[in-house]
Amino acid sequence: MSARGSEVSVFVRTRPTASFAQELIEYLPDGQTVNVRQWKESRKGVVNNQLNSWSFRLDGVLHDVSQEDVYARVGRGVVLRVLQGYNGTVMCFGQTGAGKTYTMTGATENYSQRGIIPRALQEVFREVEQRSDHTFTVHLSFLEIYNETLVDLLSSVRGCPGPGPGGMAVVEEPGGSVVVKGLSLHLVHSEVEALNLLFEGEMNRIIGAHSLNRNSSRSHCILTVHIESHSRTLSDAKYVTSTSKLNLVDLAGSERLGKTKSEGQVLKEAMYINKSLSFLEQAILALADRKRDHVPFRQTKLTHALKDSLGGNCNTVLVANIYGEAAQIEETLSTLRFASRMKRVRTDPALNEHINPVLQVLKLQKEIQLLKQQLSIHDTLANRTGMSYETLSETQVAEIQSQVQRYLEGSLEEINIVNIKQIQEVFAQFKVAIHPGGAVLGRQQEQRVRSQLCETYSLVEKTQSSSGTPVAKLQAPKSMVGEVEGCGFGVGVAAPSERHVRPVSPDRTRTRKTKELVSHGKKEATGAGRPAEDVSGPPSQREPEVYELETQDPPVLLPGPREPPRPDSPPSKTEAFEDFKAERGSEINRILKENKAVLLERRARLRELTDAINTAKTEIDHTSSALQQWRERRQSQGQFVSAQGELVLEEEELALVMRLQELKSRYRLLYEEQRSTKAEVSYCHHLVDQCRARLLTEFESWYNESFLLPEEVQAMLRTGGTIRPGLIPLDKALALEEDEQVRCERVRSERLADSPSAVSFYSAHMRSLQRRSVGRATPQTASQKRSPRDSGRTRLPAILTIM
Ligand code: ADP
Ligand code: MG
C-alpha cells in the first residue's frame, strides 16, 4: 500500500470450517485470486447441473491465517501511516457469523486471538513511546449505528458529558473531514486505558443487545483512534492535526433480506441493514467511477460517517469475511462482488499537516540568519566588501530614489550595483518614476517639468480654436517679447509643417531664429544677462504676445536646453564667441587646439634643432681652429711621412680630425631636420590659421543667423524652399559685412516689401557667403602642402584637418 494514488486494499478471509467447499471455492497459489463456482439455478422445474464460475483478484487471501498474521498484513501499514498523519480505515464486511467481529476485535478472553483493534491500539502506543521527536495526543471514540440511530458506546464512561440536547449527528467540517457531533472523545495515555474503553464499548454493545433487544450483528460499529502529533524540534515546525484518525469498522451482516425470511423487528433491522449496506455499495460504486462527481454519502448515517474514511484522503483496507461452506456460496459470492467493487475505488491519501505559524516564523528567522552568515562568508571569500543584506533604511531608499532621479535626468551616468536589495529598490524607484498612474516620483517629475515651463512661459489652456481644434496658448514672458518664434522652437514644437507658431499680436516685432541655443541666450532668458536692448518700442507696448500652437495633439512642452529663447538684444561677440566655442563650434575649436599643440611642439623642436646646430657649429669652429694650430705647428716643426710617403699624423691631431668629421656630419643631419621642421612649423602654422579662420567664419555665420537674421530667411536657407509671403528684410545679408551696431539698427528700422525675387536674391547671396567662408577655411591636405621630399618623413604627430 503506497501513500498516494493507491486503490483500496481488499482481502478475503474465510471462517475456518471442516466442510470447506473446495469444488466451489478455489484459492489460487498466487495468494490473491479466488475462483468461485455456483450451480445454475433450477428453472421451471428443470434441474440444471451447469456451473457458473467467477474469478476475483484481490490483494490477499487470508485462509487459515493467524490473528497476528492478519494484523500484520491488513492492519499494521494503515496504523503506521496514521501515526505519520494520514487517515486510515480498516473495515470488515460480510455475512453474519462470517468472522467480522472476530477479525476486528477477536476473542476478548484470549490474548493470542485478539483482533486488529487491540493490536492496533498496542501498536499506536508502542510507536508513541518510541517516537521521542514528537508528542502525541490520542483520543478514542466508539460509535454504533443501529437502525440509522447513532449510539455512543462510551457514553457510560465516568465524566462523559453526554450528547447534549441536539443528540448526535454526522457533521462535515470545512476541508471535507467528518465528525460525529455529540460523540464522546476520550483521551487515552496508554494501551491499557485504550483497551479498557474498547471493552467498555463492547460490553455496552452486548448490554444493548440484551436490554434493548438489539442484535449486535445487525449494527455497524466504528472505533476511531484520533491522533494528534507535534514536533518537538524547532526545525520541523509543523504538527499533524487531529484529523489524522484511524477508523476500525465492524459492519453489520450483509445477508440478504429474502434469505433471512425475517419478520417484525428482525425484518425492520434487516431492512435498515440492507439499506445502509446497499447505500454503502452505491457510495463505493460512485467512488470507483471516476467520471461521477457526486458520491451519495449522505443517504445513510453509515456512509455519511465514513465519508472521509472511504477512499479519498485515506488509506483504506477492506476485509471480506466469508464462509467456506457450500450452503453460503450465494452470500459468499455477493460479498466477493462487493469486495471486487471496493477494490476499484482509488484513494489519494494526503498528509494532514498544519503549520504552526509561531514556530514557522522562528524557524524561518533562524534560517535567514544562517543564510546571511553564509552570504557574508561568501562575500569575504569573493573579496566583496560593504555588502549588506539588511532591509534598506529610509535614508538609503531616499538616496536610491535620488540616484534614479539623477540618472533619468542625465546628471548621473550610472548607478553602481551594490546588492540585491539595492537593485530591487532601484527597479522599484524606476517603476515609481515611469509609472503613469500617479506614482509619486512620476508626479514629481511631471511637476518639475511643468514648473520649469511655467518659469519661462505662461501656459494657458484654451478650450477650442475657431476651427474647433483643441489648442494651447503659449504666452511669452516680457523678457522674451520679440523672440516669440524662437520661443516656439525653444519649447520643442515639432515639425513646422505640422505645427505653426504664429504671433497673434498684430505688433510683429523683429524675429530671430535661434537654431542652437547658447548659454548666453539662457542667461538672457533668465534675466541674468545684460540689460535688454530696446528693440520693439517702449516696455508698455511690449505686452506679452499670445501665440497659438496649432496642433491636433496636446501641446508638446519639452524643455529645450539647447534652444532657449532668444534674448532681446544680441550678446557681445566676445561673450557669444566663448559660448560658440563651447557648443556649436566645439569640434573645430578642438581641432584648432590640437593643431596649436602640434605647432607648439614643432616650434619647440625647431628651437632645439637650432640650438643643437649652433652648438655643433661652435664645436666645429673650435675643433677646426685646434686642428689648424696642429697643422701650423707641423709645418713649423716639419711633418712625419711614412715609408710609403704618406703623411703621418700624431694621435691627438688625428682625434681632432675625426671629431671634426663627426661634428660636420652631425651638423648636416641637424640642418636637414631643422629645414624639414621649419617646413612643418610653417605648415602647422597654416593649419592653425585656417582653423582659426574657419572658427571665426562659422562663428560669424552662426552669430548672424542666431541673432540678426529673420526666421523666415533662415528657414528658407536651411531647406532651400520657399517661404510664405511676409516682411523680408532683404539686405540683412549685406549687413553681415557691416558693423554690428549699424547692422542691428538696420534690422530694427528697415523692412522690405514682400517679394519672391528678393528672397531668391537673399538666398543666393547667403549661399555665396557661406561658400566663400568655407572656401577660405578649407585647408590643404598634408600631401598637397608637403613637398615630395617631406612626404616620406612623417615624424610628426597626425595633423588634424578641418572636416
Ligand atoms: P460476525 O461478527 O461476522 O457476525 P463473528 O466474528 O462474531 O461473526 O464470528 C462468529 C463466530 O465464529 C465467533 O464465535 C468467532 O469466534 C468464530 N470465528 C469467526 N472467524 C473465526 C476464525 N477465523 N477463527 C476462529 N474462530 C472464528
Ligand atoms: Mg459481529
Side-chain angles (χ1 to χ4, degrees):
M1 179 177 49
S2 63
R4 290 188 172 276
S6 61
E7 296 167 338
V8 170
S9 298
V10 179
F11 295 83
V12 62
R13 187 181 196 191
T14 34
R15 181 185 164 182
T17 174
S19 51
F20 185 75
Q22 288 182 349
E23 73 284 4
L24 300 180
I25 302 170
E26 182 191 12
Y27 295 125
L28 297 188
D30 64 1
Q32 291 183 298
T33 310
V34 185
N35 291 332
V36 178
R37 297 180 194 90
Q38 186 190 19
W39 295 108
K40 284 189 177 175
E41 287 181 18
S42 50
R43 287 179 190 165
K44 298 175 184 175
V46 179
V47 176
N48 189 338
N49 288 331
Q50 283 186 319
L51 281 168
N52 279 334
S53 63
W54 293 265
S55 184
F56 301 95
R57 189 173 166 82
L58 308 165
D59 292 283
V61 174
L62 306 170
H63 187 58
D64 289 333
V65 175
S66 70
Q67 291 283 71
E68 189 178 352
D69 287 345
V70 169
Y71 174 75
R73 293 183 64 184
V74 172
R76 178 164 290 136
V78 178
V79 171
L80 294 177
R81 302 292 286 169
V82 169
L83 285 162
Q84 288 170 7
Y86 297 90
N87 288 342
T89 297
V90 179
M91 193 160 51
C92 283
F93 177 84
Q95 199 179 348
T96 300
K100 300 182 295 294
T101 304
Y102 182 81
T103 301
M104 291 308 300
T105 310
T108 49
E109 66 282 359
N110 189 326
Y111 184 73
S112 65
Q113 290 183 30
R114 68 196 190 283
I116 290 171
I117 294 174
R119 289 172 195 272
L121 293 172
Q122 186 182 41
E123 183 104 52
V124 165
F125 285 100
R126 197 190 294 152
E127 286 294 316
V128 164
E129 279 175 24
Q130 284 178 4
R131 298 188 186 191
S132 55
D133 55 338
H134 283 74
T135 54
F136 290 90
T137 311
V138 183
H139 286 87
L140 281 190
S141 65
F142 208 166
L143 175 71
E144 183 182 32
I145 303 173
Y146 182 80
N147 290 359
E148 284 296 279
T149 305
L150 301 173
V151 179
D152 185 353
L153 289 176
L154 297 179
S155 60
S156 60
V157 175
R158 214 154 44 138
C160 182
M168 291 200 294
V170 181
V171 177
E172 288 182 42
E173 289 193 322
S177 62
V178 170
V179 292
V180 179
K181 205 181 89 192
L183 180 66
S184 60
L185 272 179
H186 300 265
L187 179 66
V188 283
H189 303 92
S190 65
E191 181 191 347
V192 176
E193 281 181 28
L195 287 174
N196 284 340
L197 288 174
L198 170 67
F199 297 148
E200 175 93 10
E202 285 293 327
M203 186 58 70
N204 285 335
R205 194 179 180 191
I206 293 165
I207 291 169
H210 284 284
S211 61
L212 301 171
N213 199 20
R214 289 197 316 229
N215 185 340
S216 64
S217 71
R218 300 199 176 269
S219 67
H220 312 290
C221 277
I222 305 171
L223 180 98
T224 305
V225 185
H226 307 257
I227 298 176
E228 191 178 318
S229 75
H230 297 263
S231 171
R232 289 181 197 270
T233 54
L234 185 62
S235 59
D236 187 13
K238 62 194 177 189
Y239 64 90
V240 178
T241 66
S242 58
T243 52
S244 161
K245 58 187 179 183
L246 173 64
N247 286 312
L248 301 163
V249 186
D250 183 358
L251 292 170
S254 62
E255 57 276 9
R256 296 290 171 99
L257 191 62
K259 194 175 180 182
T260 56
K261 296 183 176 63
S262 309
E263 50 188 27
Q265 171 72 11
V266 178
L267 175 65
K268 189 182 167 192
E269 286 172 354
M271 281 173 63
Y272 277 121
I273 293 160
N274 275 300
K275 184 186 167 196
S276 63
L277 290 176
S278 164
F279 282 120
L280 179 62
E281 282 202 53
Q282 284 185 26
I284 297 300
L285 280 170
L287 282 167
D289 187 354
R290 297 244 142 200
K291 293 178 202 144
R292 284 185 62 170
D293 293 335
H294 178 67
V295 178
F297 283 116
R298 291 188 179 206
Q299 287 174 313
T300 65
K301 296 276 192 304
L302 175 72
T303 50
H304 202 187
L306 292 176
K307 186 185 172 189
D308 59 350
S309 304
L310 294 169
N313 178 23
C314 187
N315 294 301
T316 305
V317 181
L318 176 77
V319 179
N321 294 97
I322 58 169
Y323 282 95
E325 288 87 354
Q328 311 296 333
I329 196 68
E330 199 179 325
E331 287 299 336
T332 295
L333 201 52
S334 170
T335 301
L336 288 172
R337 282 191 185 121
F338 176 83
S340 66
R341 280 197 290 273
M342 190 71 178
K343 188 161 166 46
R344 291 209 298 272
V345 175
R346 293 190 67 82
T347 61
D348 192 15
L351 204 60
N352 299 311
E353 63 176 15
H354 285 217
I355 303 297
N356 181 328
V358 178
L359 294 179
Q360 186 72 0
V361 167
L362 285 172
K363 183 191 162 198
L364 292 175
Q365 280 177 342
K366 202 176 167 185
E367 207 169 303
I368 288 168
Q369 201 55 40
L370 199 73
L371 289 170
K372 279 181 181 173
Q373 285 171 359
Q374 282 183 353
L375 269 174
S376 167
I377 292 168
H378 232 274
D379 290 337
T380 309
L381 292 174
N383 234 355
R384 285 195 295 257
T385 52
M387 305 298 281
S388 169
Y389 302 98
E390 302 300 328
T391 308
L392 297 174
S393 66
E394 279 183 25
T395 319
Q396 287 170 317
V397 171
E399 171 57 25
I400 292 169
Q401 187 186 30
S402 158
Q403 283 182 349
V404 169
Q405 210 167 320
R406 281 181 283 141
Y407 181 80
L408 288 171
E409 288 167 356
S411 58
L412 182 66
E413 203 159 305
E414 58 184 35
I415 299 170
N416 291 329
I417 292 173
V418 179
N419 57 34
I420 292 292
K421 283 213 182 288
Q422 178 246 3
I423 293 169
Q424 285 175 333
E425 187 57 39
V426 166
F427 278 121
Q429 291 300 336
F430 268 115
K431 194 175 180 184
V432 168
I434 64 171
H435 196 274
V440 178
L441 188 56
R443 283 201 300 270
Q444 285 175 354
Q445 284 194 329
E446 192 183 328
Q447 201 59 44
R448 201 167 50 249
V449 170
R450 276 182 185 280
S451 61
Q452 279 174 356
L453 286 166
C454 289
E455 279 177 20
T456 315
Y457 312 101
S458 303
L459 187 63
V460 182
E461 291 295 332
K462 186 180 176 185
T463 51
Q464 289 284 314
S465 68
S466 57
S467 62
T469 308
V471 296
K473 284 180 184 176
L474 285 175
Q475 277 191 321
K478 281 186 181 180
S479 63
M480 296 182 58
V481 170
E483 309 296 329
V484 287
E485 294 192 352
C487 291
F489 288 94
V491 295
V493 177
S497 59
E498 295 167 1
R499 299 169 185 187
H500 306 285
V501 178
R502 59 182 171 80
V504 171
S505 166
D507 178 25
R508 189 186 166 97
T509 59
R510 71 181 174 86
T511 55
R512 296 169 186 166
K513 168 76 182 93
T514 304
K515 202 153 78 181
E516 279 204 26
L517 222 27
V518 292
S519 56
H520 173 84
K522 292 176 196 167
K523 286 176 203 163
E524 293 292 327
T526 52
R530 296 176 290 113
E533 196 180 343
D534 184 6
V535 292
S536 57
S540 59
Q541 292 175 3
R542 292 194 280 122
E543 286 301 312
E545 295 176 24
V546 178
Y547 295 86
E548 288 185 354
L549 180 67
E550 294 177 2
T551 171
Q552 295 292 330
D553 304 322
V556 180
L557 301 174
L558 301 173
R562 294 188 61 78
E563 289 192 322
R566 304 172 73 183
D568 279 343
S569 60
S572 77
K573 279 198 168 179
T574 314
E575 205 173 348
F577 186 58
E578 288 308 308
D579 294 328
F580 178 76
K581 282 194 289 183
E583 294 191 32
R584 170 75 175 268
S586 61
E587 180 63 10
I588 189 166
N589 192 45
R590 181 184 66 78
I591 296 170
L592 174 64
K593 278 182 179 171
E594 290 182 24
N595 285 346
K596 270 183 182 173
V598 174
L599 176 63
L600 286 173
E601 188 267 329
R602 291 288 87 194
R603 273 180 176 164
R605 178 64 186 153
L606 189 60
R607 274 196 300 275
E608 283 174 19
L609 288 169
T610 307
D611 290 345
I613 285 170
N614 289 338
T615 308
K617 181 77 174 59
T618 310
E619 277 188 51
I620 288 170
D621 290 343
H622 285 154
T623 311
S624 295
S625 78
L627 207 55
Q628 188 60 35
Q629 286 173 13
W630 270 99
R631 281 181 189 146
E632 286 170 5
R633 198 185 307 161
R634 204 172 49 241
Q635 282 171 359
S636 61
Q637 293 175 0
Q639 39 191 344
F640 295 95
V641 179
S642 67
Q644 286 81 26
E646 288 176 348
L647 186 66
V648 176
L649 297 179
E650 283 189 31
E651 198 177 327
E652 211 174 320
E653 189 185 2
L654 183 65
L656 283 170
V657 169
M658 293 188 68
R659 171 74 180 149
L660 186 62
Q661 283 179 352
E662 186 194 321
L663 283 169
K664 283 183 175 173
S665 166
R666 188 165 166 238
Y667 180 84
R668 275 194 296 276
L669 287 173
L670 287 168
Y671 184 79
E672 280 299 312
E673 192 183 341
Q674 188 201 36
R675 206 160 62 92
S676 64
T677 306
K678 270 183 183 171
E680 284 162 357
V681 166
S682 169
Y683 175 65
C684 289
H685 219 292
H686 183 75
L687 283 181
V688 167
D689 286 346
Q690 280 186 327
C691 282
R692 192 179 282 120
R694 174 77 175 269
L695 183 67
L696 289 169
T697 311
E698 287 202 0
F699 165 68
E700 281 294 329
S701 175
W702 168 81
Y703 186 86
N704 292 327
E705 285 178 21
S706 301
F707 300 105
L708 302 175
L709 297 182
E711 154 71 11
E712 292 87 344
V713 174
Q714 291 307 320
M716 182 270 296
L717 285 174
R718 270 198 319 277
T719 60
T722 56
I723 57 169
R724 66 184 172 82
L727 297 172
I728 308 299
L730 177 61
D731 54 349
K732 281 274 173 61
L734 297 172
L736 285 169
E737 301 295 323
E738 298 172 6
D739 177 81
E740 184 189 4
Q741 290 299 320
V742 175
R743 190 164 60 242
C744 287
E745 280 305 313
R746 287 170 67 90
V747 168
R748 289 181 206 118
S749 60
E750 294 181 16
R751 295 179 190 279
L752 294 180
D754 184 13
S755 166
S757 61
V759 173
S760 302
F761 170 77
Y762 193 87
S763 171
H765 184 69
M766 279 306 294
R767 284 199 187 107
S768 70
L769 283 176
Q770 285 177 337
R771 271 200 303 276
R772 201 172 70 190
S773 62
V774 169
R776 273 204 306 262
T778 304
Q780 288 175 287
T781 61
S783 59
Q784 283 172 322
K785 176 67 190 173
R786 286 177 185 174
S787 65
R789 200 172 163 208
D790 291 334
S791 61
R793 303 171 58 189
T794 51
R795 288 169 301 161
L796 279 170
I799 296 291
L800 300 166
T801 53
I802 306 160
M803 301 305 290

